[in-house]
Amino acid sequence: MAWNLSSERPIYAQIIEKIQQDIISGNYAPGDRLPSVRDLASEAAVNPNTMQKALTELERTGLVFAQRTSGRYITEDIIMIQKMKEEIASAHIKEFLDKMAQLGFKKQEIIDLITQLEKSDKEENE
Amino acid sequence: MSQILECKNLTKSYGTKTALANINLSLDKGKIIGLLGPNGSGKTTLIKLINGLLVPTNGEVLIDGMAPGVDTKKIVSYLPERTYLGDWMSVNDAISFFVDFYEDFDRSRAYDMLEKLNINPSDRLRTMSKGTKEKVQLILVMSRRAKLYCLDEPIAGVDPAARDYILSTIINNYAEDATIIISTHLISDVENVLDDVIFIQYGQIKLISSVDEIRYERGKSVDGLFREVFRC
């Protein structure tokens, strides 16, 4: 199954996000070996050169490291993974806040709205 | 030398009509390149010049430093728009034909791909649908270990599911230093596998860019850009 990639954004950036997502969600555990560039490219239905570029970038950030002969591995640095998770969460929250600001909501109103939503969700479940 | 293809002031006219005008182009090894343009823009003419089926009116085309001829045919694998195989042939016959012709043909690779696409090698081409025939042809072309593949409309006649398989076949079957030129109208289907795209119109190159550059700089897909550039 090809990866679900948007056609409007650079492919390699989306590959990076997808692999980060797979690390966060536990699809790849710390220390896991990544499939080969070819296999990943084939799975994602993208050009191997693009996959290579994305992996090189992941290597640069330290999230993935290469071992000369045996391939690429996910970092074992759990703190780094946690940090990335928080960075991505912050980005999502910032985007959300921007959208809410466009709708004219102030911070406190947003918090109230979230609390209210949570309450009604709970009631529904009970 | 890292250029697999070089065109220098390449011009081709049919009588008074100019199909290609002063094309200068050089392609690196190890890339997948989309040759994109509206109907009648000169895509097939360019591919035929590369394959020595047409002779330039002016300028020259060099493949791995050589003018098209016997030596370049050994390293260029060409998928034409139309089939040239006799329809009395079975797939087995066609494979033997290719084995005879091309030293770099990998028989086991061909049978492997046929199996994955559920094509019976003893079937005759005559009995096959248009799409299946196209798949056979592409399998033959991709089973060569060539340095340059020229695919003229490789996926036009096959259904979307088979398109995906064919594209993954292309990705999986070219050597790292081989170059693939794909001419097509079905841009959205292929753009994820392309490194670079060449837009051509009225026999001239309008744009050469990498797919990610287009997306990054313009925030749109190659397909979107194509529709904008070539709006009728």
Side-chain angles (χ1 to χ4, degrees):
Chain A
M1 183 64 206
W3 296 358
N4 195 3
L5 302 173
S6 143
S7 61
E8 263 119 57
R9 295 173 49 231
I11 300 160
Y12 88 97
Q14 297 184 65
I15 294 173
I16 291 174
E17 286 165 17
K18 163 83 166 96
I19 293 175
Q20 285 177 335
Q21 187 63 46
D22 278 349
I23 296 171
I24 290 171
S25 66
N27 230 343
Y28 292 126
D32 267 4
R33 186 171 178 276
L34 275 170
S36 71
V37 173
R38 279 264 154 156
D39 288 347
L40 277 173
S42 164
E43 189 195 314
V46 302
N47 185 308
N49 294 327
T50 312
M51 183 57 73
Q52 178 72 47
K53 190 174 159 195
L55 291 176
T56 307
E57 178 60 22
L58 281 168
E59 255 177 59
R60 204 188 56 78
T61 63
L63 212 53
V64 160
F65 66 94
Q67 219 135 47
R68 196 172 284 269
T69 51
S70 57
R72 286 189 177 77
Y73 295 82
I74 306 295
T75 181
E76 283 165 11
D77 185 345
I78 294 164
I79 296 166
M80 181 187 251
I81 295 175
Q82 183 60 34
K83 217 179 114 200
M84 170 184 75
K85 200 169 167 175
E86 280 161 16
E87 271 167 20
I88 292 175
S90 308
H92 281 312
I93 291 169
K94 199 175 167 298
E95 197 188 322
F96 166 75
L97 289 177
D98 285 348
K99 276 187 188 154
M100 295 312 276
Q102 277 172 22
L103 291 174
F105 283 98
K106 304 246 168 4
K107 209 168 221 162
Q108 192 52 50
E109 290 173 314
I110 298 169
I111 295 170
D112 291 346
L113 214 58
I114 292 173
T115 328
Q116 205 183 316
L117 256 171
E118 268 191 329
K119 217 193 243 163
S120 63
D121 269 358
K122 233 183 236 161
E123 276 162 17
E124 257 172 48
N125 288 336
E126 272 163 13
Chain B
M1 185 172 147
S2 68
Q3 254 86 50
I4 184 70
L5 177 73
E6 251 196 302
C7 300
K8 292 180 193 157
N9 302 317
L10 186 63
T11 301
K12 177 68 190 176
S13 310
Y14 302 111
T16 55
K17 193 174 178 293
T18 306
L20 282 182
N22 251 323
I23 297 262
N24 285 297
L25 182 66
S26 93
L27 299 183
D28 292 339
K29 287 180 181 167
K31 293 220 162 160
I32 305 181
I33 290 142
L35 184 59
L36 315 174
N39 303 105
S41 54
K43 302 187 295 285
T44 298
T45 298
L46 178 58
I47 287 181
K48 284 186 172 168
L49 284 164
I50 296 168
N51 284 283
L53 297 174
L54 292 172
V55 180
T57 311
N58 251 315
E60 61 175 351
V61 53
L62 297 174
I63 296 112
D64 214 10
M66 302 176 281
V70 177
D71 288 323
T72 65
K73 290 187 191 214
K74 287 181 185 165
I75 57 167
V76 180
S77 192
Y78 169 45
L79 179 75
E81 291 172 290
R82 287 194 206 91
T83 178
Y84 49 84
L85 297 164
D87 69 357
W88 52 268
M89 280 184 170
S90 69
V91 180
N92 283 320
D93 293 335
I95 288 178
S96 309
F97 193 63
F98 264 66
V99 170
D100 280 347
F101 257 97
Y102 301 110
E103 283 169 46
D104 62 358
F105 191 83
D106 184 340
R107 193 191 282 262
S108 63
R109 195 193 263 188
Y111 280 107
D112 200 42
M113 285 193 254
L114 286 168
E115 201 191 318
K116 284 219 184 85
L117 279 172
N118 285 319
I119 297 170
N120 182 351
S122 53
D123 281 356
R124 285 182 194 284
L125 298 179
R126 186 193 302 144
T127 67
M128 292 177 173
S129 72
K130 182 166 172 276
T132 310
K133 256 185 259 180
E134 284 192 14
K135 287 179 205 166
V136 170
Q137 193 105 358
L138 185 76
I139 288 171
L140 291 169
V141 167
M142 290 312 295
S143 296
R144 288 186 54 196
R145 296 184 182 279
K147 286 188 180 169
L148 178 63
Y149 298 85
C150 295
L151 313 178
D152 201 353
E153 295 286 352
I155 53 169
V158 303
D159 62 83
R163 259 175 228 168
D164 287 346
Y165 177 76
I166 284 174
L167 288 174
S168 74
T169 306
I170 293 175
I171 296 172
N172 288 323
N173 285 288
Y174 81 106
E176 245 163 66
D177 59 347
T179 293
I180 305 178
I181 300 174
I182 303 176
S183 124
T184 187
H185 300 293
L186 298 166
I187 302 169
S188 56
D189 282 325
V190 299
E191 64 174 283
N192 278 357
V193 309
L194 302 176
D195 284 294
D196 297 336
V197 293
I198 301 171
F199 278 16
I200 129 170
Q201 188 182 30
Y202 307 129
Q204 285 172 323
I205 290 173
K206 234 179 150 173
L207 171 90
I208 300 179
S209 175
S210 81
V211 171
D212 272 349
E213 238 168 61
I214 289 176
R215 293 184 178 197
Y216 183 72
E217 280 166 16
R218 308 179 197 238
K220 60 182 63 151
S221 63
V222 176
D223 187 68
L225 182 65
F226 184 92
R227 284 168 203 261
E228 191 182 292
V229 170
F230 297 118
R231 176 161 293 147
C232 295

